[in-house]
Amino acid sequence: MASTTALRRLTLGGFRPARGFHSSARALIKVGDKLPNLDVLVENSPGNKVNLSEEVKTGKSLLIGVPAAFSPGCSNSHIPGYINHKSLKDAGKVFVIAVNDPFVTKAWGVSLDPEGKSGIRFLGDPSGKFTEALDLAFDGTAIFGGPRSKRYALVLEDGKVTAAHVEPDNTGVNVSTGEKVLG
Amino acid sequence: MVKVGDSIPSVPLVEKEPGNHVDLSKELGSGIIIGVPAAFSPTCSDSHVPSFVAHPKIKDAGKVFVVSVNDAFVMNAWGKTLDADKASGIRFLGDPSGAFTRALDLEFDAAPLLGTNRSKRYAMVVENGKVKSINVEPDNIGTAVSTADKILG
């Protein structure tokens, strides 16, 4: 598909930070890390903030990062692979995060799971700050006008990362699928 | 800010897929450009664009485009929710970097809420490639002057 090819060409060209100034250090999130304590994620509307580091403090959680709400890879394969997974309920609290605004992520979530049966919550990271703090952003300027999230799945327990599955080419649907992560 | 008599900027927009470019300076001709702040937001989705989709004179308006600072995937999906069978003929275009909107000087700082600069809400009538009329919402996001009844009667 033309768009996937364009995305691959873009990401293989190397990562260039889209923003020059960072107020906090970025380090690629790894096993044992906690999530950054930021108040930038939003759910359903711009005023509805979600602090994920608080949400994942106890029990099991799963964060799924995607490059683009409504894009074919994200919509047709990656997220449905989780929605339809037989062991989804054992994964604890599940969040999908995209560098999109919350109107878009809400509409996308509704299109993928109209009745919310999966329990998956769709969050927006409109400024990309949360994603950049995990060092999981790539430069999507050419196609998207700004930074976007790599495709990834982070498994957490009691607030700490126990497994990190990050697509090596940023956008492929290989190591971060429901099959690979949930079994 | 863009004014009556100006030409349409030759800054490409995207339709359906990131690689599919549309140059409105070549497409128009005559028609209407409708600018919106945010695809899928309540006002854009429930009032502004539907007022055009449903307008009895929409087919006589020439080529009609909705433009927003969103990517091609989002615009394509949004267009389908508003006009699934494309009966209105309205085309939904993305301005992912905001370059087209900036060229018209019609962007506003929406970063605190939406992460990026966005387009003001406006409706522009184009005739023979030049701006014939331009109605820009004074508060950027309201629906006082740019709805279909104000533009199409």
Side-chain angles (χ1 to χ4, degrees), chain A residues 123-161:
Chain A
L123 308 182
D125 182 17
S127 62
K129 284 201 177 97
F130 179 84
T131 305
E132 284 179 342
L134 298 173
D135 200 14
L136 285 173
F138 71 95
D139 184 5
T141 305
I143 294 185
F144 299 113
R148 285 295 174 111
S149 173
K150 299 183 183 197
R151 193 182 307 285
Y152 65 82
L154 288 180
V155 184
L156 295 110
E157 187 137 5
D158 296 332
K160 291 203 177 147
V161 176

PDB file of all heavy atoms in Angstrom, chain A residues 123-161:
ATOM      1  N   LEU A 123      -6.285   6.847  24.397  1.00  0.00           N
ATOM      2  CA  LEU A 123      -5.789   8.127  24.893  1.00  0.00           C
ATOM      3  C   LEU A 123      -5.039   8.888  23.807  1.00  0.00           C
ATOM      4  O   LEU A 123      -4.359   8.290  22.977  1.00  0.00           O
ATOM      5  CB  LEU A 123      -4.839   7.896  26.069  1.00  0.00           C
ATOM      6  CG  LEU A 123      -5.342   7.034  27.213  1.00  0.00           C
ATOM      7  CD1 LEU A 123      -4.282   6.965  28.312  1.00  0.00           C
ATOM      8  CD2 LEU A 123      -6.651   7.560  27.771  1.00  0.00           C
ATOM      9  N   GLY A 124      -5.144  10.207  23.877  1.00  0.00           N
ATOM     10  CA  GLY A 124      -4.392  11.047  22.959  1.00  0.00           C
ATOM     11  C   GLY A 124      -3.188  11.659  23.666  1.00  0.00           C
ATOM     12  O   GLY A 124      -3.252  11.975  24.852  1.00  0.00           O
ATOM     13  N   ASP A 125      -2.120  11.832  22.909  1.00  0.00           N
ATOM     14  CA  ASP A 125      -0.920  12.525  23.401  1.00  0.00           C
ATOM     15  C   ASP A 125      -0.675  13.666  22.411  1.00  0.00           C
ATOM     16  O   ASP A 125       0.271  13.631  21.626  1.00  0.00           O
ATOM     17  CB  ASP A 125       0.259  11.543  23.418  1.00  0.00           C
ATOM     18  CG  ASP A 125       1.553  12.149  23.968  1.00  0.00           C
ATOM     19  OD1 ASP A 125       1.491  13.213  24.633  1.00  0.00           O
ATOM     20  OD2 ASP A 125       2.626  11.565  23.731  1.00  0.00           O
ATOM     21  N   PRO A 126      -1.538  14.700  22.415  1.00  0.00           N
ATOM     22  CA  PRO A 126      -1.575  15.665  21.318  1.00  0.00           C
ATOM     23  C   PRO A 126      -0.246  16.391  21.084  1.00  0.00           C
ATOM     24  O   PRO A 126       0.109  16.663  19.942  1.00  0.00           O
ATOM     25  CB  PRO A 126      -2.650  16.669  21.735  1.00  0.00           C
ATOM     26  CG  PRO A 126      -3.426  16.022  22.817  1.00  0.00           C
ATOM     27  CD  PRO A 126      -2.522  15.019  23.456  1.00  0.00           C
ATOM     28  N   SER A 127       0.475  16.684  22.153  1.00  0.00           N
ATOM     29  CA  SER A 127       1.747  17.398  21.980  1.00  0.00           C
ATOM     30  C   SER A 127       2.890  16.422  21.766  1.00  0.00           C
ATOM     31  O   SER A 127       4.000  16.816  21.430  1.00  0.00           O
ATOM     32  CB  SER A 127       2.041  18.227  23.220  1.00  0.00           C
ATOM     33  OG  SER A 127       2.181  17.347  24.332  1.00  0.00           O
ATOM     34  N   GLY A 128       2.640  15.137  21.961  1.00  0.00           N
ATOM     35  CA  GLY A 128       3.705  14.149  21.834  1.00  0.00           C
ATOM     36  C   GLY A 128       4.630  14.081  23.038  1.00  0.00           C
ATOM     37  O   GLY A 128       5.598  13.319  23.046  1.00  0.00           O
ATOM     38  N   LYS A 129       4.335  14.854  24.089  1.00  0.00           N
ATOM     39  CA  LYS A 129       5.272  14.946  25.225  1.00  0.00           C
ATOM     40  C   LYS A 129       5.434  13.625  25.968  1.00  0.00           C
ATOM     41  O   LYS A 129       6.540  13.275  26.396  1.00  0.00           O
ATOM     42  CB  LYS A 129       4.784  16.003  26.224  1.00  0.00           C
ATOM     43  CG  LYS A 129       5.012  17.419  25.789  1.00  0.00           C
ATOM     44  CD  LYS A 129       4.983  18.378  26.989  1.00  0.00           C
ATOM     45  CE  LYS A 129       5.295  19.796  26.548  1.00  0.00           C
ATOM     46  NZ  LYS A 129       4.080  20.609  26.318  1.00  0.00           N
ATOM     47  N   PHE A 130       4.327  12.895  26.158  1.00  0.00           N
ATOM     48  CA  PHE A 130       4.415  11.625  26.879  1.00  0.00           C
ATOM     49  C   PHE A 130       5.265  10.649  26.085  1.00  0.00           C
ATOM     50  O   PHE A 130       6.179  10.002  26.607  1.00  0.00           O
ATOM     51  CB  PHE A 130       3.005  11.065  27.105  1.00  0.00           C
ATOM     52  CG  PHE A 130       2.985   9.737  27.825  1.00  0.00           C
ATOM     53  CD1 PHE A 130       3.045   9.687  29.209  1.00  0.00           C
ATOM     54  CD2 PHE A 130       2.906   8.543  27.118  1.00  0.00           C
ATOM     55  CE1 PHE A 130       3.023   8.467  29.881  1.00  0.00           C
ATOM     56  CE2 PHE A 130       2.889   7.320  27.779  1.00  0.00           C
ATOM     57  CZ  PHE A 130       2.948   7.288  29.161  1.00  0.00           C
ATOM     58  N   THR A 131       4.975  10.566  24.783  1.00  0.00           N
ATOM     59  CA  THR A 131       5.686   9.651  23.904  1.00  0.00           C
ATOM     60  C   THR A 131       7.171   9.993  23.845  1.00  0.00           C
ATOM     61  O   THR A 131       8.041   9.108  23.878  1.00  0.00           O
ATOM     62  CB  THR A 131       5.063   9.697  22.495  1.00  0.00           C
ATOM     63  OG1 THR A 131       3.667   9.413  22.608  1.00  0.00           O
ATOM     64  CG2 THR A 131       5.704   8.704  21.553  1.00  0.00           C
ATOM     65  N   GLU A 132       7.478  11.291  23.771  1.00  0.00           N
ATOM     66  CA  GLU A 132       8.884  11.711  23.722  1.00  0.00           C
ATOM     67  C   GLU A 132       9.589  11.408  25.043  1.00  0.00           C
ATOM     68  O   GLU A 132      10.768  11.071  25.072  1.00  0.00           O
ATOM     69  CB  GLU A 132       8.970  13.197  23.378  1.00  0.00           C
ATOM     70  CG  GLU A 132       8.710  13.436  21.901  1.00  0.00           C
ATOM     71  CD  GLU A 132       8.758  14.895  21.486  1.00  0.00           C
ATOM     72  OE1 GLU A 132       8.655  15.770  22.359  1.00  0.00           O
ATOM     73  OE2 GLU A 132       8.881  15.136  20.280  1.00  0.00           O
ATOM     74  N   ALA A 133       8.862  11.497  26.152  1.00  0.00           N
ATOM     75  CA  ALA A 133       9.479  11.213  27.455  1.00  0.00           C
ATOM     76  C   ALA A 133       9.878   9.746  27.575  1.00  0.00           C
ATOM     77  O   ALA A 133      10.806   9.404  28.315  1.00  0.00           O
ATOM     78  CB  ALA A 133       8.529  11.603  28.582  1.00  0.00           C
ATOM     79  N   LEU A 134       9.178   8.871  26.854  1.00  0.00           N
ATOM     80  CA  LEU A 134       9.536   7.450  26.831  1.00  0.00           C
ATOM     81  C   LEU A 134      10.620   7.203  25.789  1.00  0.00           C
ATOM     82  O   LEU A 134      11.121   6.086  25.670  1.00  0.00           O
ATOM     83  CB  LEU A 134       8.323   6.586  26.444  1.00  0.00           C
ATOM     84  CG  LEU A 134       7.093   6.605  27.341  1.00  0.00           C
ATOM     85  CD1 LEU A 134       5.964   5.819  26.689  1.00  0.00           C
ATOM     86  CD2 LEU A 134       7.407   6.016  28.698  1.00  0.00           C
ATOM     87  N   ASP A 135      10.962   8.238  25.034  1.00  0.00           N
ATOM     88  CA  ASP A 135      11.869   8.129  23.890  1.00  0.00           C
ATOM     89  C   ASP A 135      11.323   7.129  22.871  1.00  0.00           C
ATOM     90  O   ASP A 135      12.070   6.344  22.282  1.00  0.00           O
ATOM     91  CB  ASP A 135      13.273   7.716  24.328  1.00  0.00           C
ATOM     92  CG  ASP A 135      14.325   8.069  23.275  1.00  0.00           C
ATOM     93  OD1 ASP A 135      13.993   8.856  22.358  1.00  0.00           O
ATOM     94  OD2 ASP A 135      15.440   7.541  23.347  1.00  0.00           O
ATOM     95  N   LEU A 136      10.036   7.203  22.635  1.00  0.00           N
ATOM     96  CA  LEU A 136       9.405   6.297  21.676  1.00  0.00           C
ATOM     97  C   LEU A 136       8.747   7.063  20.525  1.00  0.00           C
ATOM     98  O   LEU A 136       7.837   6.559  19.885  1.00  0.00           O
ATOM     99  CB  LEU A 136       8.371   5.402  22.386  1.00  0.00           C
ATOM    100  CG  LEU A 136       8.984   4.283  23.234  1.00  0.00           C
ATOM    101  CD1 LEU A 136       7.903   3.561  24.024  1.00  0.00           C
ATOM    102  CD2 LEU A 136       9.752   3.285  22.376  1.00  0.00           C
ATOM    103  N   ALA A 137       9.228   8.280  20.269  1.00  0.00           N
ATOM    104  CA  ALA A 137       8.697   9.066  19.162  1.00  0.00           C
ATOM    105  C   ALA A 137       9.608   8.934  17.954  1.00  0.00           C
ATOM    106  O   ALA A 137      10.803   8.667  18.091  1.00  0.00           O
ATOM    107  CB  ALA A 137       8.582  10.523  19.565  1.00  0.00           C
ATOM    108  N   PHE A 138       9.046   9.107  16.762  1.00  0.00           N
ATOM    109  CA  PHE A 138       9.881   9.235  15.565  1.00  0.00           C
ATOM    110  C   PHE A 138       9.390  10.447  14.779  1.00  0.00           C
ATOM    111  O   PHE A 138       8.283  10.942  15.005  1.00  0.00           O
ATOM    112  CB  PHE A 138       9.862   7.959  14.713  1.00  0.00           C
ATOM    113  CG  PHE A 138       8.567   7.686  13.979  1.00  0.00           C
ATOM    114  CD1 PHE A 138       8.400   8.090  12.654  1.00  0.00           C
ATOM    115  CD2 PHE A 138       7.535   6.997  14.591  1.00  0.00           C
ATOM    116  CE1 PHE A 138       7.218   7.829  11.969  1.00  0.00           C
ATOM    117  CE2 PHE A 138       6.347   6.738  13.908  1.00  0.00           C
ATOM    118  CZ  PHE A 138       6.183   7.157  12.602  1.00  0.00           C
ATOM    119  N   ASP A 139      10.227  10.924  13.888  1.00  0.00           N
ATOM    120  CA  ASP A 139       9.909  12.148  13.165  1.00  0.00           C
ATOM    121  C   ASP A 139       8.955  11.862  12.022  1.00  0.00           C
ATOM    122  O   ASP A 139       9.359  11.411  10.960  1.00  0.00           O
ATOM    123  CB  ASP A 139      11.194  12.778  12.637  1.00  0.00           C
ATOM    124  CG  ASP A 139      10.928  14.116  11.944  1.00  0.00           C
ATOM    125  OD1 ASP A 139       9.770  14.589  11.965  1.00  0.00           O
ATOM    126  OD2 ASP A 139      11.877  14.685  11.390  1.00  0.00           O
ATOM    127  N   GLY A 140       7.685  12.161  12.228  1.00  0.00           N
ATOM    128  CA  GLY A 140       6.685  11.919  11.185  1.00  0.00           C
ATOM    129  C   GLY A 140       6.349  13.179  10.416  1.00  0.00           C
ATOM    130  O   GLY A 140       5.299  13.241   9.762  1.00  0.00           O
ATOM    131  N   THR A 141       7.211  14.178  10.463  1.00  0.00           N
ATOM    132  CA  THR A 141       6.910  15.492   9.885  1.00  0.00           C
ATOM    133  C   THR A 141       6.476  15.425   8.427  1.00  0.00           C
ATOM    134  O   THR A 141       5.503  16.056   8.030  1.00  0.00           O
ATOM    135  CB  THR A 141       8.138  16.420   9.997  1.00  0.00           C
ATOM    136  OG1 THR A 141       8.531  16.478  11.357  1.00  0.00           O
ATOM    137  CG2 THR A 141       7.806  17.816   9.527  1.00  0.00           C
ATOM    138  N   ALA A 142       7.164  14.649   7.623  1.00  0.00           N
ATOM    139  CA  ALA A 142       6.878  14.627   6.188  1.00  0.00           C
ATOM    140  C   ALA A 142       5.446  14.205   5.897  1.00  0.00           C
ATOM    141  O   ALA A 142       4.795  14.748   5.006  1.00  0.00           O
ATOM    142  CB  ALA A 142       7.854  13.699   5.472  1.00  0.00           C
ATOM    143  N   ILE A 143       4.959  13.235   6.655  1.00  0.00           N
ATOM    144  CA  ILE A 143       3.618  12.716   6.379  1.00  0.00           C
ATOM    145  C   ILE A 143       2.572  13.306   7.309  1.00  0.00           C
ATOM    146  O   ILE A 143       1.431  13.530   6.920  1.00  0.00           O
ATOM    147  CB  ILE A 143       3.603  11.181   6.536  1.00  0.00           C
ATOM    148  CG1 ILE A 143       4.464  10.550   5.469  1.00  0.00           C
ATOM    149  CG2 ILE A 143       2.195  10.659   6.445  1.00  0.00           C
ATOM    150  CD1 ILE A 143       4.407   9.047   5.498  1.00  0.00           C
ATOM    151  N   PHE A 144       2.962  13.509   8.565  1.00  0.00           N
ATOM    152  CA  PHE A 144       1.976  13.862   9.579  1.00  0.00           C
ATOM    153  C   PHE A 144       2.132  15.272  10.131  1.00  0.00           C
ATOM    154  O   PHE A 144       1.312  15.716  10.914  1.00  0.00           O
ATOM    155  CB  PHE A 144       2.050  12.877  10.750  1.00  0.00           C
ATOM    156  CG  PHE A 144       1.762  11.448  10.372  1.00  0.00           C
ATOM    157  CD1 PHE A 144       2.755  10.492  10.436  1.00  0.00           C
ATOM    158  CD2 PHE A 144       0.493  11.073   9.951  1.00  0.00           C
ATOM    159  CE1 PHE A 144       2.495   9.174  10.105  1.00  0.00           C
ATOM    160  CE2 PHE A 144       0.220   9.759   9.620  1.00  0.00           C
ATOM    161  CZ  PHE A 144       1.223   8.807   9.692  1.00  0.00           C
ATOM    162  N   GLY A 145       3.199  15.935   9.755  1.00  0.00           N
ATOM    163  CA  GLY A 145       3.380  17.305  10.235  1.00  0.00           C
ATOM    164  C   GLY A 145       4.046  17.409  11.586  1.00  0.00           C
ATOM    165  O   GLY A 145       4.215  18.507  12.102  1.00  0.00           O
ATOM    166  N   GLY A 146       4.440  16.289  12.190  1.00  0.00           N
ATOM    167  CA  GLY A 146       5.082  16.361  13.498  1.00  0.00           C
ATOM    168  C   GLY A 146       5.521  14.986  13.964  1.00  0.00           C
ATOM    169  O   GLY A 146       5.486  14.024  13.208  1.00  0.00           O
ATOM    170  N   PRO A 147       5.974  14.878  15.234  1.00  0.00           N
ATOM    171  CA  PRO A 147       6.414  13.589  15.754  1.00  0.00           C
ATOM    172  C   PRO A 147       5.233  12.643  15.936  1.00  0.00           C
ATOM    173  O   PRO A 147       4.102  13.084  16.178  1.00  0.00           O
ATOM    174  CB  PRO A 147       7.021  13.939  17.123  1.00  0.00           C
ATOM    175  CG  PRO A 147       6.353  15.197  17.525  1.00  0.00           C
ATOM    176  CD  PRO A 147       6.040  15.947  16.254  1.00  0.00           C
ATOM    177  N   ARG A 148       5.508  11.352  15.796  1.00  0.00           N
ATOM    178  CA  ARG A 148       4.474  10.360  16.037  1.00  0.00           C
ATOM    179  C   ARG A 148       5.061   9.268  16.917  1.00  0.00           C
ATOM    180  O   ARG A 148       6.268   9.161  17.093  1.00  0.00           O
ATOM    181  CB  ARG A 148       3.971   9.757  14.720  1.00  0.00           C
ATOM    182  CG  ARG A 148       3.064  10.693  13.923  1.00  0.00           C
ATOM    183  CD  ARG A 148       1.769  10.993  14.662  1.00  0.00           C
ATOM    184  NE  ARG A 148       0.947  11.985  14.018  1.00  0.00           N
ATOM    185  CZ  ARG A 148      -0.222  11.718  13.429  1.00  0.00           C
ATOM    186  NH1 ARG A 148      -0.685  10.493  13.397  1.00  0.00           N
ATOM    187  NH2 ARG A 148      -0.913  12.679  12.869  1.00  0.00           N
ATOM    188  N   SER A 149       4.186   8.450  17.450  1.00  0.00           N
ATOM    189  CA  SER A 149       4.648   7.359  18.300  1.00  0.00           C
ATOM    190  C   SER A 149       5.105   6.191  17.454  1.00  0.00           C
ATOM    191  O   SER A 149       4.489   5.864  16.435  1.00  0.00           O
ATOM    192  CB  SER A 149       3.492   6.911  19.203  1.00  0.00           C
ATOM    193  OG  SER A 149       3.868   5.758  19.925  1.00  0.00           O
ATOM    194  N   LYS A 150       6.207   5.560  17.901  1.00  0.00           N
ATOM    195  CA  LYS A 150       6.548   4.269  17.313  1.00  0.00           C
ATOM    196  C   LYS A 150       5.433   3.296  17.699  1.00  0.00           C
ATOM    197  O   LYS A 150       4.650   3.559  18.622  1.00  0.00           O
ATOM    198  CB  LYS A 150       7.870   3.753  17.893  1.00  0.00           C
ATOM    199  CG  LYS A 150       9.041   4.676  17.603  1.00  0.00           C
ATOM    200  CD  LYS A 150      10.348   4.091  18.123  1.00  0.00           C
ATOM    201  CE  LYS A 150      11.475   5.091  17.883  1.00  0.00           C
ATOM    202  NZ  LYS A 150      12.803   4.474  17.983  1.00  0.00           N
ATOM    203  N   ARG A 151       5.399   2.164  17.003  1.00  0.00           N
ATOM    204  CA  ARG A 151       4.457   1.138  17.400  1.00  0.00           C
ATOM    205  C   ARG A 151       5.122   0.309  18.505  1.00  0.00           C
ATOM    206  O   ARG A 151       6.255  -0.160  18.323  1.00  0.00           O
ATOM    207  CB  ARG A 151       4.095   0.234  16.218  1.00  0.00           C
ATOM    208  CG  ARG A 151       2.887  -0.645  16.519  1.00  0.00           C
ATOM    209  CD  ARG A 151       2.555  -1.568  15.361  1.00  0.00           C
ATOM    210  NE  ARG A 151       2.393  -0.879  14.096  1.00  0.00           N
ATOM    211  CZ  ARG A 151       1.350  -0.154  13.765  1.00  0.00           C
ATOM    212  NH1 ARG A 151       0.349  -0.005  14.604  1.00  0.00           N
ATOM    213  NH2 ARG A 151       1.294   0.432  12.578  1.00  0.00           N
ATOM    214  N   TYR A 152       4.451   0.139  19.612  1.00  0.00           N
ATOM    215  CA  TYR A 152       5.058  -0.608  20.710  1.00  0.00           C
ATOM    216  C   TYR A 152       3.995  -1.209  21.610  1.00  0.00           C
ATOM    217  O   TYR A 152       2.814  -0.852  21.533  1.00  0.00           O
ATOM    218  CB  TYR A 152       5.962   0.309  21.557  1.00  0.00           C
ATOM    219  CG  TYR A 152       5.236   1.422  22.297  1.00  0.00           C
ATOM    220  CD1 TYR A 152       4.595   1.198  23.528  1.00  0.00           C
ATOM    221  CD2 TYR A 152       5.176   2.712  21.779  1.00  0.00           C
ATOM    222  CE1 TYR A 152       3.926   2.212  24.195  1.00  0.00           C
ATOM    223  CE2 TYR A 152       4.523   3.739  22.460  1.00  0.00           C
ATOM    224  CZ  TYR A 152       3.901   3.488  23.655  1.00  0.00           C
ATOM    225  OH  TYR A 152       3.234   4.511  24.324  1.00  0.00           O
ATOM    226  N   ALA A 153       4.424  -2.131  22.475  1.00  0.00           N
ATOM    227  CA  ALA A 153       3.573  -2.621  23.556  1.00  0.00           C
ATOM    228  C   ALA A 153       4.452  -2.672  24.805  1.00  0.00           C
ATOM    229  O   ALA A 153       5.547  -3.233  24.780  1.00  0.00           O
ATOM    230  CB  ALA A 153       3.008  -3.991  23.232  1.00  0.00           C
ATOM    231  N   LEU A 154       3.978  -2.056  25.883  1.00  0.00           N
ATOM    232  CA  LEU A 154       4.706  -2.070  27.154  1.00  0.00           C
ATOM    233  C   LEU A 154       3.865  -2.810  28.175  1.00  0.00           C
ATOM    234  O   LEU A 154       2.721  -2.432  28.421  1.00  0.00           O
ATOM    235  CB  LEU A 154       4.933  -0.649  27.688  1.00  0.00           C
ATOM    236  CG  LEU A 154       5.932   0.266  26.993  1.00  0.00           C
ATOM    237  CD1 LEU A 154       5.981   1.609  27.717  1.00  0.00           C
ATOM    238  CD2 LEU A 154       7.314  -0.357  26.953  1.00  0.00           C
ATOM    239  N   VAL A 155       4.444  -3.847  28.758  1.00  0.00           N
ATOM    240  CA  VAL A 155       3.728  -4.584  29.803  1.00  0.00           C
ATOM    241  C   VAL A 155       4.205  -4.065  31.149  1.00  0.00           C
ATOM    242  O   VAL A 155       5.411  -3.918  31.371  1.00  0.00           O
ATOM    243  CB  VAL A 155       4.023  -6.107  29.681  1.00  0.00           C
ATOM    244  CG1 VAL A 155       3.212  -6.886  30.708  1.00  0.00           C
ATOM    245  CG2 VAL A 155       3.725  -6.592  28.270  1.00  0.00           C
ATOM    246  N   LEU A 156       3.265  -3.745  32.035  1.00  0.00           N
ATOM    247  CA  LEU A 156       3.638  -3.215  33.348  1.00  0.00           C
ATOM    248  C   LEU A 156       2.994  -4.011  34.465  1.00  0.00           C
ATOM    249  O   LEU A 156       1.907  -4.589  34.299  1.00  0.00           O
ATOM    250  CB  LEU A 156       3.181  -1.758  33.480  1.00  0.00           C
ATOM    251  CG  LEU A 156       3.853  -0.778  32.548  1.00  0.00           C
ATOM    252  CD1 LEU A 156       2.878  -0.280  31.503  1.00  0.00           C
ATOM    253  CD2 LEU A 156       4.411   0.395  33.312  1.00  0.00           C
ATOM    254  N   GLU A 157       3.659  -4.037  35.599  1.00  0.00           N
ATOM    255  CA  GLU A 157       3.092  -4.630  36.795  1.00  0.00           C
ATOM    256  C   GLU A 157       3.450  -3.735  37.968  1.00  0.00           C
ATOM    257  O   GLU A 157       4.620  -3.384  38.156  1.00  0.00           O
ATOM    258  CB  GLU A 157       3.650  -6.040  37.005  1.00  0.00           C
ATOM    259  CG  GLU A 157       2.956  -6.756  38.143  1.00  0.00           C
ATOM    260  CD  GLU A 157       2.623  -8.206  37.808  1.00  0.00           C
ATOM    261  OE1 GLU A 157       3.017  -8.669  36.726  1.00  0.00           O
ATOM    262  OE2 GLU A 157       1.975  -8.852  38.649  1.00  0.00           O
ATOM    263  N   ASP A 158       2.406  -3.354  38.720  1.00  0.00           N
ATOM    264  CA  ASP A 158       2.594  -2.451  39.864  1.00  0.00           C
ATOM    265  C   ASP A 158       3.446  -1.241  39.494  1.00  0.00           C
ATOM    266  O   ASP A 158       4.363  -0.856  40.235  1.00  0.00           O
ATOM    267  CB  ASP A 158       3.199  -3.207  41.048  1.00  0.00           C
ATOM    268  CG  ASP A 158       2.271  -4.292  41.570  1.00  0.00           C
ATOM    269  OD1 ASP A 158       1.031  -4.126  41.425  1.00  0.00           O
ATOM    270  OD2 ASP A 158       2.761  -5.299  42.111  1.00  0.00           O
ATOM    271  N   GLY A 159       3.167  -0.698  38.331  1.00  0.00           N
ATOM    272  CA  GLY A 159       3.794   0.555  37.932  1.00  0.00           C
ATOM    273  C   GLY A 159       5.141   0.438  37.258  1.00  0.00           C
ATOM    274  O   GLY A 159       5.699   1.442  36.806  1.00  0.00           O
ATOM    275  N   LYS A 160       5.691  -0.773  37.160  1.00  0.00           N
ATOM    276  CA  LYS A 160       7.015  -0.891  36.526  1.00  0.00           C
ATOM    277  C   LYS A 160       6.922  -1.729  35.250  1.00  0.00           C
ATOM    278  O   LYS A 160       6.183  -2.708  35.183  1.00  0.00           O
ATOM    279  CB  LYS A 160       7.989  -1.566  37.485  1.00  0.00           C
ATOM    280  CG  LYS A 160       8.344  -0.710  38.672  1.00  0.00           C
ATOM    281  CD  LYS A 160       9.674  -1.111  39.281  1.00  0.00           C
ATOM    282  CE  LYS A 160       9.975  -0.156  40.423  1.00  0.00           C
ATOM    283  NZ  LYS A 160      10.696  -0.781  41.500  1.00  0.00           N
ATOM    284  N   VAL A 161       7.739  -1.344  34.280  1.00  0.00           N
ATOM    285  CA  VAL A 161       7.765  -2.053  33.004  1.00  0.00           C
ATOM    286  C   VAL A 161       8.381  -3.434  33.191  1.00  0.00           C
ATOM    287  O   VAL A 161       9.489  -3.566  33.731  1.00  0.00           O
ATOM    288  CB  VAL A 161       8.582  -1.255  31.955  1.00  0.00           C
ATOM    289  CG1 VAL A 161       8.692  -2.032  30.647  1.00  0.00           C
ATOM    290  CG2 VAL A 161       7.954   0.111  31.718  1.00  0.00           C
TER     291      VAL A 161
END
